[in-house]
Amino acid sequence: MSGTWLPPAQYLATLPKATVYGCLYVTDEADRPLQLRSVRNPAVWQWPGGNMDPGETPWECAVRECEEETGLHVAGEPRLLAVHFLPPLGNWSTHKVGFVFDGGRLSRELIDSIVLDPEEHTEVAVRSVEEWRTVMPAFSFRLLAVTAQARRTGVAAYLEQSGPA
């Protein structure tokens, strides 16, 4: 842009657009990540989460989506593990920015109490990080791996991805 001043509405129209999602990285007590199988694409495993609704923060979104998708309510202060950035891909015409929060470690009893929204997910699975590597595309696994490392080290991760490899 040049140094020309624009009225706010015109200036805002020149800025890149983005959707924002919030999700929860949840594990069992042995630190094995829990993921949900997508109804829309059974090859996709994902954490409880989704796109923000108007007026929500990323944390509020992650907590709401987790409750809607699993029946579990996460309380407490948000602990950010990773920020994930994706440029427009395929038919998706906006950037996508994700906030991955620590959803905690769940007991076997809590995991067994999960009630999935059948319109969104068909299965809950808990596997080690290395076991997840064998069932996920490298593109998706990369976010899982950096998030697991962020929880282990206490240092939040930032991941930019240009698309599936």
Side-chain angles (χ1 to χ4, degrees):
M1 290 273 343
S2 68
T4 306
W5 182 88
L6 294 173
Q10 286 180 332
Y11 174 67
L12 289 173
T14 69
L15 297 177
K17 307 299 182 253
T19 58
V20 178
Y21 74 88
C23 63
L24 296 175
Y25 175 78
V26 180
T27 64
D28 68 1
E29 292 173 315
D31 283 330
R32 297 180 308 161
L34 176 146
Q35 294 199 83
L36 312 174
R37 185 187 295 269
S38 171
V39 165
R40 289 179 203 91
N41 182 348
V44 171
W45 288 93
Q46 54 198 187
W47 300 316
N51 289 328
M52 277 183 1
D53 285 344
E56 270 186 327
T57 67
W59 171 247
E60 292 166 340
C61 170
V63 170
R64 173 187 54 79
E65 288 280 351
C66 183
E67 192 161 355
E68 289 174 4
E69 294 176 358
T70 67
L72 299 175
H73 179 74
V74 175
E77 294 296 313
R79 180 171 172 239
L80 183 66
L81 294 177
V83 175
H84 183 219
F85 175 82
L86 290 158
L89 296 170
N91 293 334
W92 200 258
S93 63
T94 66
H95 298 280
K96 191 163 184 118
V97 180
F99 293 84
V100 183
F101 296 99
D102 193 337
R105 291 174 178 87
L106 302 181
S107 67
R108 181 82 250 162
E109 294 76 30
L110 272 178
I111 293 169
D112 289 343
S113 76
I114 289 174
V115 177
L116 294 177
D117 176 348
E119 293 184 16
E120 295 208 39
H121 299 101
T122 61
E123 182 182 353
V124 176
V126 175
R127 296 183 171 107
S128 71
V129 171
E130 284 309 308
E131 290 168 325
W132 279 117
R133 180 190 305 271
T134 67
V135 297
M136 296 176 73
F139 173 79
S140 299
F141 178 76
R142 188 166 168 222
L143 179 59
L144 175 93
V146 301
T147 301
Q149 180 179 1
R151 187 197 262 175
R152 274 193 318 276
T153 64
V155 178
Y158 172 73
L159 179 62
E160 288 184 10
Q161 288 185 287
S162 58

